[in-house]
Amino acid sequence: MPERIVCPKCSAVIIWNGSDPIISCRLCGARYKMHPRSRDARSSVDREVFMPPVGRGQTDILTIPTSGEVRGRPVLRSYIPENWKYFSSTSPDRYDGVSNPIVPAVLYSSPDGEINILYKGEAFYKHIDYSPAAAQLQNRLDDILINRRNPTFLRMRSYMSCSEYCDSMAKTLPLRDLAAVKEERADNTEKQRQRQLLENFRQKGFSDGNAEWLRRTYRGRDNSGRQKIVIAETRIISLVKNTVAQMTPLGGFFMMGMMSGIPQQTAERYWDSCYEMLLIAPENRYSEALREFERINSSIRILPEMDQVRAEILAVVNSSLNQMAADNMNSMNRRSQIIADTNAYTSNIQRQMIADNAASHNRTANLQSEAIRGVNTYYTGDNRVIEASTSFDHVYQSTRSPDVFAAQQGHSLEFGVDFEELTQTNGDY
């Protein structure tokens, strides 16, 4: 019974009769090697959707079927050997970059799977010197960016030379007794290409740079003891850029947020891994593998669509970073305001305590003075303080004549509306 297969390259529907070993997409021309099975063995047609396509012995346009950012968009152009399987994807990048949020990768595999070629696109890095503090920062970034699945291009790594980079690629392979047996350096054509790349970086604001290219051949054995040949190739450009002058914050708790006014300018180092190619093949098929390696290497190109995707993602990232910076500034402003409010509140409390203490001393002194002189003090209705002998228990002020007073020993008198009894100050005046 025919089945409907979705083409991973262009998403067109392919009708498969369930038995043909190879099918082709009528829309984009991609060919897929199928593995007929009984219907009971296939739980879902989705198992066949991601079958890697096979090459047609010519240059083809590649898409990345498994990445949401670039899915279905033409991002690479490459020669693909006839009947070789190939699978394009985005690379997690072992060292991670600074300005390339997507690193495309393509795995080419011979029909029998014995020859494999891996291509990885450009990655851009920021150099850091590994001090204990830098290592701690790197570990924190590793934890945040890997565990939360954020873009890896925000991470930083130390500079690697071409030889170190090639060695790191070769060491990822499961081979024993791996040893470098040959090196090839840049020829005149490669040097001209390097000069052009350096000039392009200078136009982007980099003040200085140096380019290096290397192809290193290794020999090793797989787990069965079979001899394998490995080729690792890369081009690395080391770069220097002067940072924008920045103001240095002054130290100290009360100086927080203030700037010294002294501009600081430093040179930062970056490095660009333009691409990397890795080949692994049995020793008896090395010539065949090298021939296909060279054809793929000379043909593969990043298409403008990839640059557009990167620009879109970087715009989102930069917007997020700007928002984070704004949020951080708002947080600092709120923190400064909280500190200022706390200091003002503390100062007011301290001033009030000092004032209350002084008033307490004044009251004590006034009461002592009254006791020595044998008088009590009273508040008048017109905001004056008067004295009366302690022999009087009640003092009154005339409501008609404020300078007329009356005093009484013992019980208070009822003078009606003509007099108003006064209240003692208890020294508080």
Side-chain angles (χ1 to χ4, degrees):
M1 181 177 180
E3 296 187 25
R4 297 165 62 87
I5 308 297
V6 177
C7 176
K9 288 192 62 177
C10 66
S11 300
V13 175
I14 306 172
I15 304 301
W16 181 46
N17 61 14
S19 60
D20 290 344
I22 294 180
I23 60 175
S24 299
C25 176
R26 295 183 179 180
L27 184 62
C28 68
R31 300 170 68 219
Y32 300 92
K33 182 176 292 186
M34 308 303 289
H35 296 281
R37 312 176 197 173
S38 65
R39 182 170 299 278
D40 294 337
R42 287 196 306 274
S43 61
S44 171
V45 175
D46 291 339
R47 288 177 178 264
E48 307 296 345
V49 169
F50 296 107
M51 287 291 296
V54 293
R56 297 180 289 179
Q58 63 186 44
T59 300
D60 202 353
I61 302 299
L62 280 66
T63 60
I64 300 177
T66 58
S67 177
E69 298 89 348
V70 293
R71 180 167 183 152
R73 300 169 74 167
V75 294
L76 290 168
R77 180 173 63 84
S78 170
Y79 165 80
I80 306 166
E82 187 172 5
N83 291 327
W84 277 43
K85 294 176 288 186
Y86 64 97
F87 182 76
S88 52
S89 64
T90 53
S91 169
D93 197 8
R94 290 187 296 274
Y95 314 109
D96 304 297
V98 172
S99 69
N100 285 344
I102 294 181
V103 178
V106 186
L107 175 63
Y108 308 83
S109 183
S110 62
D112 57 8
E114 288 197 336
I115 302 175
N116 289 281
I117 299 172
L118 175 65
Y119 166 85
K120 292 175 68 176
E122 181 185 23
F124 197 79
Y125 310 93
K126 182 177 181 180
H127 169 74
I128 60 172
D129 294 314
Y130 267 102
S131 62
Q136 183 178 11
L137 172 62
Q138 181 65 63
N139 292 335
R140 291 180 60 189
L141 290 172
D142 288 347
D143 178 67
I144 293 173
L145 298 175
I146 294 176
N147 292 346
R148 300 184 186 178
R149 302 182 67 82
N150 283 353
T152 58
F153 63 93
L154 294 177
R155 297 174 61 192
M156 304 176 291
R157 286 289 185 178
S158 289
Y159 172 76
M160 297 178 72
S161 66
C162 274
S163 60
E164 292 172 326
Y165 203 101
C166 289
D167 286 345
S168 69
M169 286 192 287
K171 289 177 181 177
T172 61
L173 301 174
L175 297 178
R176 296 181 285 112
D177 305 324
L178 189 68
V181 295
K182 182 181 177 182
E183 280 190 359
E184 298 176 52
R185 296 287 177 173
D187 56 17
N188 291 333
T189 303
E190 170 61 26
K191 290 178 180 178
Q192 177 60 34
R193 186 181 295 112
Q194 292 175 5
R195 285 191 288 268
Q196 183 60 52
L197 290 171
L198 287 171
E199 180 59 30
N200 294 341
F201 277 112
R202 291 190 184 98
Q203 294 177 4
K204 295 178 182 178
F206 291 91
S207 58
D208 195 10
N210 182 55
E212 181 186 9
W213 178 91
L214 179 67
R215 175 185 290 181
R216 179 171 281 185
T217 305
Y218 303 82
R219 191 184 300 272
R221 296 181 181 276
D222 60 17
N223 293 331
S224 64
R226 191 178 183 188
Q227 194 78 34
K228 293 293 182 75
I229 301 296
V230 175
I231 294 179
E233 176 183 319
T234 190
R235 181 192 302 115
I236 291 179
I237 301 177
S238 59
L239 300 161
V240 176
K241 176 181 281 189
N242 293 325
T243 59
V244 178
Q246 297 178 348
M247 310 300 283
T248 304
L250 294 175
F253 180 79
F254 293 103
M255 294 294 186
M256 187 176 299
M258 298 182 63
M259 311 305 286
S260 67
I262 303 175
Q264 301 291 325
Q265 192 170 30
T266 58
E268 291 186 339
R269 291 179 59 194
Y270 298 85
W271 58 290
D272 179 74
S273 170
C274 300
Y275 71 97
E276 64 178 77
M277 294 280 291
L278 185 65
L279 176 146
I280 178 170
E283 186 176 24
N284 62 341
R285 300 182 64 183
Y286 172 67
S287 297
E288 173 193 352
L290 180 61
R291 182 174 61 254
E292 302 298 357
F293 179 88
E294 296 283 12
R295 297 187 69 173
I296 293 172
N297 196 353
S298 62
S299 67
I300 194 162
R301 296 290 184 274
I302 301 294
L303 297 179
E305 189 82 8
M306 175 62 80
D307 294 330
Q308 180 180 345
V309 172
R310 285 172 171 168
E312 292 170 359
I313 296 176
L314 283 174
V316 174
V317 172
N318 289 332
S319 176
S320 300
L321 292 176
N322 291 335
Q323 185 61 48
M324 290 169 61
D327 292 343
N328 185 58
M329 180 61 69
N330 292 334
S331 177
M332 291 294 295
N333 291 339
R334 289 193 297 271
R335 187 170 183 267
S336 298
Q337 187 61 49
I338 291 172
I339 293 174
D341 293 344
T342 301
N343 289 339
Y345 177 79
T346 303
S347 297
N348 291 337
I349 294 296
Q350 290 175 340
R351 285 194 293 270
Q352 186 63 45
M353 290 173 61
I354 293 172
D356 291 345
N357 187 55
S360 176
H361 285 291
N362 290 337
R363 288 194 298 271
T364 300
N366 291 338
L367 290 173
Q368 289 177 342
S369 174
E370 293 173 10
I372 292 172
R373 291 181 291 110
V375 297
N376 290 324
T377 55
Y378 298 85
Y379 295 116
T380 67
D382 50 351
N383 297 322
R384 290 180 293 161
V385 175
I386 65 170
E387 295 181 350
S389 173
T390 56
S391 61
F392 298 110
D393 298 309
H394 305 278
V395 176
Y396 305 88
Q397 181 182 21
S398 172
T399 56
R400 297 178 180 274
S401 300
D403 294 328
V404 176
F405 298 92
Q408 174 66 31
Q409 294 179 338
H411 299 289
S412 61
L413 300 177
E414 293 291 341
F415 284 99
V417 297
D418 293 332
F419 283 87
E420 183 180 54
E421 187 172 4
L422 303 182
T423 304
Q424 286 191 21
T425 65
N426 292 321
D428 188 12
Y429 59 89

